[in-house]
Structures are given as structure tokens and as C-alpha cells.
């Protein structure tokens, strides 16, 4: 792996409202070795960025890389071989949008993660929860009203986003099995959801004792719990039980947002998915009943951003897209930019997400000792967040672990 010296780079990493003054960055052996104005390296190839923006690789903290089709019930029935092949296409396209790390919150297993780490395919770094835990009739139960077959207990296909478990002993066992299987954290379904057939949005997932048991299992393993939540009541229950990562949060209210902030929780809004489920979902196989549920949470999304910002609740970047809608992954930047300052939106996909993933200092930053995950942008995303969209069109260079994933000429 050749060393690289980037010169005349203006760093944008979400920590400041303006790009930094031009600096040089030395990359050696997959790691950022040095950052500064007078940095040199005799053995490195030099890339003059000519004042372009240099960003840390972007982080999406809410993806489902195994969701190759929008109908999640149908996706769960696909053979693992097909799901695997499609997931590598999905991840390659994420990487080419500048996302060098993604957190899968239901579906991907350790085998898929190991395959990404072996480096034979172009993919982002992958952080996984394994299968999300859901109660019977919850957000990962796709059996429908008239399907009385027993839920799967032992063999979960790769295309399934979750698994069903009920009662304190069962949820403890399921959490332990996911951790044993290589999960970096535990994901739970603590509210009704749009994609599943028998759980209206207001349904609360899991009893308080079940929530607390799952949180305890995660803590004993040195990690945390992430929860699918929409309603204010569901969010509050999760926060009080010790859940750390709050996914979606569309219907959160100010008092609960303040409580979550004081507890050090992190929210992961995913507004882009609701827009696209309405516009693209029906033609891509998203069930009609599920489309009807989307509007319950869609309209409140922008208000939730303002509520969480005012409460001081940290927000990480998330997209939560399915099937062919994955191509809209970067549109979340623009949507959030309508309610939040660009600096905060960029921070959500850099150091805030890195902290949530327990990789602070390793990703989401351009600093010595961090992974050399870097993105060059033509223009200033602090002035125009749309520069981070369009499938990486404005990203002439993308580097992951010191290797160029994309490199076009810099005129």
C-alpha cells in the first residue's frame, strides 16, 4: 500500500461552520499519520487537492444491507446466496457515495461482516446488530393475520431483518445468541412499524422487564441497545430502560427529548425513507397497508429534528432505505438541511456517528491515528449539502483504509 500525501486540503468534518485553512495530510499503511501545514513525506505520492474539500469518510448509522427488495417479508424468504450477492452490490454503491462505514441495524450476520473485512470486494466498514429482536406480532414478524405457523427459532435466513422472541428468558437467550454470533450491539423493535403487517405504529414492543433484560445483556457484553421507536411513549420507555440508540423518533416530544439528552442517548432520524416509501414504494413492491402507515410518521419528521436539536439530543445520520430505494441514501443530507445547520448535518455523519459506533478517533475524523477513510468534494458542502448527493458525482476521490476506491483527475 503506497503512502499518499494530500496537499492544499480544506478539511470539513462537522466540527466547524467553515472549512479549515489548507493543510497537508499524510496517509501511510491505511492510517492517517500526520495532519498539518508543514507536513511532508519523501516516500509518498503527492495529490494536490488545490483547495478542494477533504472530508472523513461518511458514516450511515441506520442501514439494512441485506434488504435487496422493498417487501421485507419476501426478502426474508430469499435464498442466502442471492441475498449475499445483492448485498455486495448495495454496499459497493454505498461506498461510491462516500459512505466508508455503515451500521446495519437488522439482518447482516458475522459472515457478511467477515467477508467485508477480508477485502475481496469494495464495501464500507460494516458494524452489525445481527438479527433485530421482535415480539410476536411486532415489527419483525411478517407472518400476517392468517399465518399461524410457528415462528422460526433456530435457522434465520440472511434476508430476514429480525427474529421473534417473547418473555424475559427468551429475550435474554436471543440477545446472548446474537452477541455470541458476532453482533456489535443489540437491536430491538420497541414500537409498531410501517413495513410489518400486524403492528400499528402506536403498538409498544416488549414489556419494561423485557427491555431491561435486553439492556442488561448488552451492558454485560460491553455494548448497547438500539431501538426502533416512533411514538413519544415508546421512546420514553426505552430511555428509562437504558436504551442508548433511538432509531427514527418521528413523534418525539420536547420533554422526552430532554430526558434522552440527559441520559446521553443518541437519536438516528431516517427521514428520507418515508419520502421514498410513498413515492417509490408501491411500484417496488412495498405493501399497500404499509404505505398507508408511512404518513402517520412522515409528516412529523421535520418537527422532530427541531425538537431534538433544541433539547440538545445528539443525532447521528441514518437512511433506512430498502431495495432499489438505496440509491437515495445521500438525500438525507438535503432533507435535514431544511431544518438544521449544515454543520450539524455533516457532524451527524462524521464524529457523532463515530461515537455512537464506538469508533471515535478511528472513523469520522481527519486526524493522526484514524483510518485513512477520506472523501474529496468539489465545492463546500457547508454551503451546499447537495454536493454530497448524486451518487458521488462531486466526489472525485474516495479512499478507504489508504486505498483509492475512486480516483478521477483533478483539473
Amino acid at each position: 500500500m503506497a503512502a499518499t500525501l494530500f496537499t492544499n486540503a480544506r478539511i470539513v468534518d462537522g466540527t466547524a461552520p467553515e472549512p479549515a485553512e489548507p493543510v497537508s495530510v499524510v496517509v501511510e499503511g491505511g492510517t492517517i499519520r500526520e495532519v498539518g501545514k508543514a507536513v511532508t513525506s519523501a516516500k509518498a505520492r503527492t495529490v494536490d487537492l488545490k483547495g478542494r474539500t477533504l472530508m472523513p469518510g461518511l458514516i450511515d448509522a441506520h442501514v439494512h444491507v441485506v434488504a435487496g427488495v422493498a417487501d421485507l417479508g419476501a426478502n426474508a424468504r430469499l435464498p442466502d446466496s442471492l441475498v449475499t450477492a445483492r448485498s455486495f452490490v448495495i454496499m459497493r454503491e454505498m461506498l461510491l457515495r462516500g459512505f466508508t462505514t455503515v451500521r446495519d441495524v437488522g439482518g447482516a450476520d458475522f459472515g457478511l461482516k467477515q467477508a467485508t473485512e477480508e477485502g475481496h470486494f469494495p464495501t464500507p466498514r460494516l458494524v452489525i446488530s445481527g438479527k433485530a429482536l421482535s415480539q410476536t406480532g411486532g415489527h419483525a414478524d411478517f407472518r400476517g393475520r392468517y399465518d399461524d405457523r410457528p415462528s422460526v427459532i433456530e435457522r434465520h435466513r440472511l434476508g430476514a431483518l429480525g427474529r421473534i422472541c417473547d418473555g424475559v428468558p427468551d429475550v435474554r437467550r436471543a440477545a446472548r445468541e446474537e452477541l455470541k454470533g458476532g453482533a456489535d450491539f443489540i437491536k430491538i423493535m420497541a414500537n409498531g412499524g410501517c413495513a410489518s403487517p400486524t403492528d400499528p405504529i402506536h403498538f409498544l414492543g416488549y414489556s419494561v422487564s423485557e427491555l431491561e433484560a435486553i439492556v442488561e445483556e448488552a451492558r454485560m457484553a460491553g455494548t448497547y441497545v438500539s431501538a426502533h421507536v416512533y411514538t413519544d411513549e415508546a421512546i420514553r420507555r426505552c430511555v428509562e430502560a437504558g436504551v442508548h440508540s433511538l432509531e427514527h423518533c418521528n413523534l418525539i416530544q420536547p420533554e422526552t427529548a430532554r430526558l434522552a439528552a440527559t441520559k446521553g442517548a443518541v437519536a438516528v432520524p431516517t427521514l428520507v425513507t418515508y419520502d421514498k416509501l410513498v413515492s417509490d414504494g408501491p411500484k417496488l413492491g412495498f405493501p399497500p397497508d404499509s404505505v398507508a402507515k408511512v404518513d402517520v410518521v412522515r409528516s412529523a419528521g421535520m418537527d422532530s429534528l427541531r425538537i431534538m436539536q433544541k433539547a440538545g439530543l445528539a443525532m447521528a445520520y441514518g437512511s433506512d432505505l430498502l431495495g432499489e430505494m438505496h440509491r437515495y441514501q445521500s438525500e438525507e443530507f438535503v432533507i435535514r438541511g431544511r431544518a438544521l445547520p449544515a454543520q450539524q448535518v455533516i457532524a451527524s455523519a462524521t464524529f457523532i456517528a463515530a461515537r455512537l459506533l464506538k469508533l471515535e478517533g478511528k472513523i469520522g475524523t481527519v486526524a493522526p491515528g484514524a483510518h485513512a477513510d477520506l472523501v474529496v468534494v468539489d465545492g463546500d458542502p457547508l454551503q451546499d449539502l447537495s454536493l454530497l448527493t448524486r451518487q458521488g458525482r462531486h466526489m472525485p476521490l474516495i479512499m478507504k483504509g489508504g486505498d483509492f476506491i475512486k480516483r478521477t483527475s483533478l483539473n
Side-chain angles (χ1 to χ4, degrees):
M1 185 182 297
T4 303
L5 169 64
F6 293 101
T7 60
N8 296 311
R10 296 173 65 89
I11 295 174
V12 170
D13 59 5
T15 62
E18 300 290 339
E21 290 299 311
V23 296
S24 295
V25 178
V26 177
V27 170
E28 288 183 2
T31 302
I32 298 172
R33 182 175 66 80
E34 197 170 357
V35 179
K37 290 187 176 180
V39 172
T40 60
S41 175
K43 61 182 179 180
R45 58 188 172 185
T46 299
V47 179
D48 186 354
L49 297 186
K50 304 174 183 178
R52 288 179 174 81
T53 297
L54 181 67
M55 299 183 70
L58 303 173
I59 306 164
D60 190 333
H62 192 122
V63 303
H64 299 287
V65 300
V66 300
V69 296
D71 184 336
L72 295 180
N75 198 79
R77 296 189 293 270
L78 296 174
D80 289 0
S81 55
L82 181 58
V83 172
T84 300
R86 288 175 172 175
S87 72
F88 278 106
V89 174
I90 289 168
M91 288 189 283
R92 180 192 67 205
E93 292 174 348
M94 289 178 171
L95 185 57
L96 292 173
R97 295 184 198 107
F99 289 95
T100 54
T101 302
V102 297
R103 186 183 68 149
D104 188 283
V105 286
D109 66 5
F110 189 78
L112 201 60
K113 177 175 179 174
Q114 182 176 336
T116 67
E117 292 174 349
E118 289 176 353
H120 301 302
F121 307 94
T123 70
R125 301 179 191 277
L126 186 59
V127 175
I128 64 169
S129 69
K131 300 303 180 191
L133 311 189
S134 170
Q135 69 180 40
T136 295
H139 187 44
D141 188 344
F142 288 91
R143 290 176 296 175
R145 299 288 182 196
Y146 308 119
D147 185 347
D148 59 0
R149 290 174 296 175
S151 61
V152 176
I153 296 174
E154 295 179 349
R155 175 71 174 92
H156 301 277
R157 285 191 169 180
L158 183 60
L161 270 61
R163 59 185 291 178
I164 299 168
C165 47
D166 298 293
V168 170
D170 202 15
V171 299
R172 284 191 184 276
R173 176 179 291 276
R176 290 174 183 178
E177 287 177 350
E178 294 304 326
L179 291 164
K180 170 187 172 294
D184 297 300
F185 64 101
I186 296 297
K187 167 74 180 298
I188 63 173
M189 304 301 194
N191 230 169
C194 299
S196 38
T198 60
D199 54 327
I201 297 297
H202 71 273
F203 268 32
L204 298 175
Y206 287 126
S207 66
V208 172
S209 60
E210 288 169 317
L211 293 174
E212 291 174 342
I214 297 166
V215 168
E216 184 180 30
E217 292 299 329
R219 284 180 176 165
M220 289 192 296
T223 189
Y224 64 93
V225 173
S226 157
H228 161 96
V229 279
Y230 287 124
T231 68
D232 190 70
E233 183 180 5
I235 298 166
R236 176 170 287 271
R237 291 171 85 241
C238 283
V239 171
E240 290 174 344
V243 171
H244 178 60
S245 182
L246 305 167
E247 315 301 311
H248 314 305
C249 295
N250 297 55
L251 303 175
I252 195 169
Q253 297 302 305
E255 184 179 347
T256 298
R258 289 191 293 270
L259 174 65
T262 61
K263 296 286 189 180
V266 178
V268 188
T270 59
L271 303 189
V272 65
T273 194
Y274 309 110
D275 280 356
K276 302 311 174 186
L277 286 172
V278 169
S279 64
D280 292 26
K283 63 186 177 186
L284 296 176
F286 197 64
D289 289 348
S290 294
V291 174
K293 289 199 282 184
V294 171
D295 271 338
V296 176
V297 294
R298 181 189 184 202
S299 59
M302 297 302 284
D303 285 340
S304 74
L305 294 180
R306 299 183 183 96
I307 288 170
M308 291 186 284
Q309 179 198 31
K310 186 174 181 180
L313 177 57
M315 288 179 273
Y317 189 96
S319 58
D320 192 28
L321 293 159
L322 311 172
E324 293 181 29
M325 290 176 279
H326 277 114
R327 67 183 183 271
Y328 299 117
Q329 182 180 22
S330 306
E331 298 296 329
E332 181 79 10
F333 284 109
V334 176
I335 294 172
R336 292 198 195 189
R338 297 172 188 150
L340 303 173
Q343 178 188 345
Q344 291 184 21
V345 180
I346 291 170
S348 73
T350 54
F351 69 90
I352 293 175
R355 188 167 64 233
L356 174 60
L357 273 57
K358 294 185 175 293
L359 290 170
E360 192 171 16
K362 290 297 182 182
I363 61 173
T365 184
V366 183
H371 294 306
D373 298 349
L374 300 167
V375 175
V376 175
V377 181
D378 280 325
D380 180 5
L382 287 163
Q383 298 299 318
D384 183 3
L385 286 168
S386 72
L387 295 173
L388 303 178
T389 67
R390 304 184 186 98
Q391 312 307 314
R393 183 187 306 171
H394 301 290
M395 299 173 179
L397 301 179
I398 298 172
M399 173 179 276
K400 180 200 165 194
D403 288 328
F404 282 104
I405 304 301
K406 176 182 178 182
R407 186 175 185 180
T408 57
S409 61
L410 300 176
N411 297 321

